[in-house]
């Protein structure tokens, strides 16, 4: 199976916190999908749409490199990718078509309960474990605090107990994970939702037509849920 140039390409998270909501969104828009098989590419049966099912971290780059036309991803991953790509001289252009009503979370600093936290200055020179080094650096720069980042792509919440870091900067939704690990949320540094983004590349008229059909449907779905 390959991607057809004439069909609108949308990158979605294959499996994770955004995948069910993304599938429901497309279903709600009347897009008929056959996702039973564990394939990278899924073709819509009733519209000229192909889905590329990937890790969420790959979605912003696929859109910015023009490999796909649209993507759905958390703003946290999007913003982190923008900063990383800008710092390494890669194109980081895209446009937001719609902020979606799922995937809500916040990126926060947290410290162990016994840490005497008096504001970001308490983290001067400390080690902070995170999967979001650029968002973290932007916040700490804005606070004038120097720190050392410890890059972890998983198990960030156990880093303080394991002696790997003095604090963490991680995504929070209910706060249960922090609590279970004896951590206290101190600063919210970024608030995120899932967004539908589009490549900056010019789009064929036929693909634009499909987008013009999808957007009002998404709008309608979100209004109905409000
Ligand atoms: O495999 P892939 O790379 O695609 O997935 P992933 O494991 O990197 O991401 P995934 O599926 O965990 O999350 C995808 C996106 O969902 C994130 O980028 C956010 O935009 C959004 N999201 C919303 C969250 C959460 N809520 C969330 N709570 N992503 C992660 N978490 C994690 C958090 O990292 C922590 O471990 O959930 C835990 C905290 O949850 P609470 O409820 O205990 O506070
Ligand atoms: Zn990921």
């Amino acid at each position: 199976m390959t991607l057809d140039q004439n069909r609108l390409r949308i990158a979605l998270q294959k499996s994770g916190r955004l995948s069910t909501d993304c599938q429901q969104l497309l279903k709600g828009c009347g897009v008929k999908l056959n996702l039973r098989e564990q394939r990278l590419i899924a073709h819509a049966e009733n519209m000229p749409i192909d889905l590329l099912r990937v890790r969420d971290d790959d979605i912003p780059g696929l859109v910015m490199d023009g490999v796909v036309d649209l993507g759905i991803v958390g703003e946290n991953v999007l913003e982190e990718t923008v900063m990383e790509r800008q710092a390494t001289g890669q194109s980081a252009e895209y446009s937001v078509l719609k902020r979606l009503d799922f995937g809500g979370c916040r990126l926060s600093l947290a410290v162990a309960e016994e840490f005497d936290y008096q504001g970001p200055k308490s983290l001067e020179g400390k080690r902070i474990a995170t999967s979001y080094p650029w968002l973290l650096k932007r916040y700490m720069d804005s606070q004038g605090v120097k720190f050392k980042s410890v890059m972890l792509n998983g198990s960030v919440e156990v880093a303080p107990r394991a002696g790997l870091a003095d604090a963490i900067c991680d995504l929070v939704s209910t706060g249960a994970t922090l609590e279970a690990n004896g951590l206290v949320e101190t600063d919210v540094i970024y608030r995120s939702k899932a967004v539908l983004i589009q490549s900056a590349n010019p789009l064929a008229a036929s693909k634009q037509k499909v987008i013009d059909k999808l957007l009002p449907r998404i709008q309608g779905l979100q209004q109905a849920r409000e």
Side-chain angles (χ1 to χ4, degrees):
M1 275 211 207
T2 50
L3 285 169
D4 181 337
Q5 295 294 341
N6 299 310
R7 295 166 69 89
L8 187 74
R9 296 174 185 178
I10 311 178
L12 302 176
Q13 187 185 28
K14 180 163 187 178
S15 66
R17 286 168 192 267
L18 302 179
S19 37
T20 306
D21 286 314
C22 287
Q23 284 164 29
Q24 287 301 113
L25 185 75
L26 289 171
K27 201 176 161 198
C29 289
V31 182
K32 284 217 174 87
L33 296 169
N34 184 353
L35 293 177
R36 262 169 296 166
E37 291 159 73
Q38 287 299 304
R39 288 200 169 127
L40 171 67
I41 298 166
H43 302 291
E45 292 165 10
N46 59 338
M47 286 170 91
I49 296 175
D50 287 341
L51 297 180
L52 197 62
R53 301 159 73 212
V54 294
R55 298 278 313 257
D56 67 342
D57 316 77
D58 295 335
I59 295 172
L62 289 167
V63 172
M64 290 164 192
D65 290 332
V67 177
V68 298
D69 305 302
L70 305 183
I72 297 179
V73 68
E75 290 166 313
N76 52 310
V77 172
L78 179 61
E79 191 67 10
E80 180 72 15
T81 307
V82 166
M83 281 188 273
E84 186 185 351
R85 287 177 68 109
Q86 282 172 344
T88 53
Q90 293 171 273
S91 86
E93 282 178 54
Y94 67 93
S95 59
V96 175
L97 287 184
K98 191 121 206 80
R99 197 166 194 235
L100 302 169
D101 60 0
F102 58 82
C105 59
R106 52 197 192 270
L107 184 66
S108 293
L109 283 170
V111 296
E113 279 155 5
E114 53 277 11
F115 192 109
D116 178 25
Y117 190 78
Q118 305 287 338
K121 289 263 184 266
S122 298
L123 296 174
E124 182 73 43
K126 302 278 190 207
R127 277 176 300 164
I128 308 177
T130 191
S131 316
Y132 297 90
W134 292 99
L135 282 167
L136 173 59
K137 185 182 181 315
R138 182 167 77 185
Y139 179 74
M140 296 306 266
D141 284 352
S142 80
Q143 300 296 313
V145 177
K146 292 211 164 58
F147 70 103
K148 298 179 200 116
S149 87
V150 176
M151 182 65 190
L152 284 179
N153 276 313
S155 308
V156 175
E157 67 280 358
V158 304
R161 210 175 349 124
L164 302 175
D166 305 290
I168 69 165
C169 171
D170 200 10
L171 298 175
V172 182
S173 46
T174 62
T177 303
L178 292 183
E179 202 184 329
N181 287 281
L183 300 169
V184 181
E185 185 175 6
T186 59
D187 302 51
V188 175
I189 74 165
Y190 191 78
R191 290 189 191 274
S192 178
K193 281 194 170 176
V195 277
L196 174 66
I197 56 171
Q198 182 180 338
S199 151
N201 287 356
L203 210 64
S206 58
K207 290 185 177 184
Q208 188 60 52
K209 263 194 193 158
V210 180
I211 294 179
D212 292 344
K213 241 187 227 172
L214 290 180
L215 278 184
R217 292 182 185 179
I218 295 174
Q219 182 75 30
L221 285 172
Q222 296 205 160
Q223 265 164 5
R225 280 200 288 250
E226 267 171 15

